Amino acid sequence: MILLTDTQRDRLLANGRDRDQDHIPVVKFFNPFGAGVWLATELDEDGDIMFGLADIGYPELGSWSLNELRSIRLPFGMGIERDLLFTGDFPISVWAEAARETGSIRDAERLLYRSGRLPGGKHPDMEPPRS
């Protein structure tokens, strides 16, 4: 599987040049056989080091190597996959808070999308307008 489309790569590189923002994740990677979910918001100019929220047992913000993700070999000749349906929708700070509250990115995804609620029990329709 191609882990990054050209459009995703361009977006991640642009976000990497603008690091002082609370970016929405561009791509989600996952291990189809167990632990391991990564939400990437940025890519360094070297095309390898990504930044975002990683969960390989406990969710935390940090950096990882795209090449290392590509090199992981799983049973049946599979590797790390890209979630083709992932849309991001929330800034990485919201993802990180929800993942810390629930204990994992996968549980945070259920909280954010299935319940329609943001971390802290807030409903997105009830948020005050930003000026």
Side-chain angles (χ1 to χ4, degrees):
M1 165 177 262
I2 296 171
L3 287 185
L4 281 180
T5 66
D6 290 340
T7 302
Q8 289 168 329
R9 177 179 297 283
D10 291 345
R11 179 74 184 269
L12 288 163
L13 286 167
N15 288 353
R17 289 187 291 270
D18 189 17
R19 293 183 184 271
D20 294 331
Q21 300 297 315
D22 190 11
H23 296 292
I24 292 172
V26 175
V27 63
K28 173 185 169 187
F29 305 111
F30 67 97
N31 175 347
F33 291 102
V37 178
W38 299 261
L39 302 180
T41 59
E42 301 168 25
L43 180 64
D44 283 354
E45 289 296 326
D46 67 3
D48 180 39
I49 302 302
M50 305 190 93
F51 178 82
L53 184 64
D55 182 358
I56 53 174
Y58 183 80
E60 60 185 307
L61 292 167
S63 299
W64 65 86
S65 166
L66 177 61
N67 290 328
E68 284 185 24
L69 281 184
R70 280 191 183 114
S71 70
I72 295 172
R73 294 292 156 240
L74 300 168
F76 310 109
M78 294 186 70
I80 298 300
E81 301 269 331
R82 174 173 42 96
D83 185 337
L84 301 175
L85 302 177
F86 180 75
T87 57
D89 296 328
F90 305 98
I92 197 67
S93 64
V94 172
W95 280 100
E97 182 181 343
R100 286 185 196 109
E101 276 185 21
T102 62
S104 73
I105 292 174
R106 286 184 171 121
D107 288 340
E109 194 164 27
R110 283 188 279 280
L111 172 74
L112 292 171
Y113 288 113
R114 294 193 182 139
S115 73
R117 295 189 174 275
L118 298 172
K122 299 173 188 165
H123 193 279
D125 295 336
M126 303 300 220
E127 291 294 302
R130 293 184 183 194
S131 34

